[in-house]
Amino acid sequence: MVSGNFQNLSGSDADLAVVNEITNNVAILETPGTTFDGTFTVATGSPFGTGNGPIAIAAGDLNSDGVPDLAVVNSTDSTISVFLNNGDATFSVAAGSPLTTSSGANPSGVVIADFTNDGIGDIAVTNQGVSTLGIYVGLGLGVFAPQIELSTPAGPQGITTADFDGNGLPDVALTAHSGTSNTVSVFLDPSTFASTGSPLQTPYPGSEYIDLGLKIKATPYVHGSDEVTLQLDFEIRSLAGTAINGIPVINNQTTSQTVRLKQDETSLIGGLTDREAAKALASLPGLGEIPGVGYAAQNRNNTATDTEFLILVTPRKLRIPPRITSSIYAGPNPGTGANALAPQPPAPEPPPPTQPPPTQPQNNPQQ
């Protein structure tokens, strides 16, 4: 249960908002006027539905209209329902509601405070199931940034907010219970989190791995007569000498080119040029700011460095040894196959022997 001037009446601050876990809704109980007489009436449109298992509720201005809104913890769904006050104790669901938490978070407590000091209410919840404190930074109009989680002792449950260190910013105190461990933890709101006035300008700690150096991508297309076409893409990444908000700046240079070369022919593809200039000024204290005299007391040092990276490419074709294959024969003759010899044609029959021609007997004439 939480109280607030939900009717937005001058001099009244006695309305109540009651969360009903069994029926999954919230009831608004209004006082009859500026003078409390001990009675309440149910507000128009009340009760209104929430998520499953609502167990905690907080009131605060979430859209900077000066009227208290509501944030309800749905333990069963592990969500946060946000309801914006229409200015007359009737409520509407905010855009983006319900807010999601971590899987199995089982949130149990909720508060509303301006942790970023930008005039917009933020939401803090205790996630009992994962032992974290979740912060939802308000962006205006009832819209919130994704949850930021901070580790807590095991089993965080109850939560409240107050300025414990006196810096004008709301801090958080929470109870944690797990087994025989019972603790109270205090989380101070640092000025670095609230000084920018916008959560979008406050970088959240994180890391990313980026490859530095030279990257080459070559796509070859082989032609006849030992020629090849190369589609070449070159990229060089390096660290710059400056940084923005502590985040390094990456220099990125790229070049692309398509060439057609013969085998073993070297070609100059292209070059990348890097130019760096530095100016240093040193002077004696006090004298360097005096017009005229200051120039003589100053020491100036200007340096410039030009670096050119040339790329030479020589295409070479990988030679594969010739493949030795064996002939395969197939046919009806048994025994023929991969290792069988090819059938040989029958040998021709030898011709019959030639007979000598017959001779005639000769008659010798008698003398």
Side-chain angles (χ1 to χ4, degrees):
M1 181 172 60
V2 68
S3 64
N5 186 9
F6 301 122
Q7 300 180 78
N8 195 25
L9 298 177
S10 177
S12 176
D13 193 23
D15 302 320
L16 298 177
V18 181
V19 62
N20 303 308
E21 181 179 2
I22 302 300
T23 55
N24 297 326
N25 55 31
V26 171
I28 304 298
L29 305 180
E30 298 178 339
T31 56
T34 57
T35 302
F36 179 62
D37 60 1
T39 62
F40 291 91
T41 58
V42 178
T44 304
S46 175
F48 49 88
T50 63
N52 294 321
I55 61 173
I57 187 171
D61 188 4
L62 297 175
N63 55 356
S64 304
D65 62 354
V67 182
D69 308 303
L70 297 176
V72 179
V73 166
N74 305 310
S75 180
T76 304
D77 294 342
S78 291
T79 59
I80 311 298
S81 296
V82 179
F83 301 96
L84 300 181
N85 194 337
N86 297 320
D88 56 358
T90 63
F91 291 82
S92 59
V93 180
S97 178
L99 307 177
T100 59
T101 61
S102 303
S103 177
N106 189 23
S108 57
V110 59
V111 292
I112 296 176
D114 187 9
F115 298 111
T116 55
N117 196 29
D118 58 358
I120 303 175
D122 310 309
I123 299 175
V125 298
T126 50
N127 297 316
Q128 184 178 6
V130 293
S131 299
T132 61
L133 170 65
I135 305 295
Y136 296 90
V137 176
L139 304 178
L141 300 178
V143 180
F144 295 85
Q147 178 184 220
I148 299 174
E149 289 188 277
L150 304 175
S151 298
T152 67
Q157 297 179 359
I159 184 173
T160 187
T161 179
D163 184 9
F164 295 108
D165 56 358
N167 66 348
L169 300 174
D171 307 308
V172 167
L174 58 87
T175 62
H177 170 72
S178 177
T180 59
S181 176
N182 299 279
T183 60
V184 175
S185 300
V186 176
F187 292 80
L188 300 180
D189 188 357
S191 58
T192 55
F193 184 69
S195 61
T196 60
S198 173
L200 300 179
Q201 299 177 4
T202 304
Y204 185 70
S207 62
E208 179 183 1
Y209 292 98
I210 298 179
D211 294 330
L212 300 180
L214 174 64
K215 282 185 178 181
I216 300 178
K217 179 182 178 182
T219 305
Y221 302 93
V222 180
H223 309 285
S225 65
D226 295 332
E227 291 186 349
V228 60
T229 297
L230 296 177
Q231 174 62 44
L232 300 172
D233 298 310
F234 299 90
E235 180 181 7
I236 295 181
R237 288 184 176 181
S238 61
L239 285 174
T242 59
I244 299 177
N245 292 334
I247 301 176
V249 177
I250 305 298
N251 284 332
N252 190 14
Q253 302 181 58
T254 60
T255 182
S256 298
Q257 193 169 357
T258 302
V259 295
R260 183 164 179 168
L261 303 173
K262 288 184 175 294
Q263 180 180 337
D264 298 330
E265 178 183 358
T266 301
S267 176
L268 175 62
I269 300 302
L272 299 175
T273 303
D274 182 26
R275 174 171 295 179
E276 297 181 1
K279 296 182 178 180
L281 175 62
S283 64
L284 296 176
L287 296 179
E289 300 179 359
I290 300 176
V293 180
Y295 187 83
Q298 294 175 352
N299 182 15
R300 301 174 181 268
N301 185 13
N302 300 334
T303 59
T305 303
D306 293 338
T307 304
E308 185 174 4
F309 181 70
L310 300 179
I311 302 171
L312 302 176
V313 175
T314 304
R316 303 185 188 278
K317 183 171 65 175
L318 298 179
R319 294 178 175 85
I320 302 177
R323 180 180 179 185
I324 302 176
T325 60
S326 59
S327 300
I328 299 177
Y329 300 94
N333 296 333
T336 61
N339 298 323
L341 297 177
Q344 301 294 329
E349 296 182 359
T354 304
Q355 299 293 333
T359 58
Q360 298 292 334
Q362 295 181 359
N363 296 326
N364 295 328
Q366 295 180 0
Q367 297 296 333

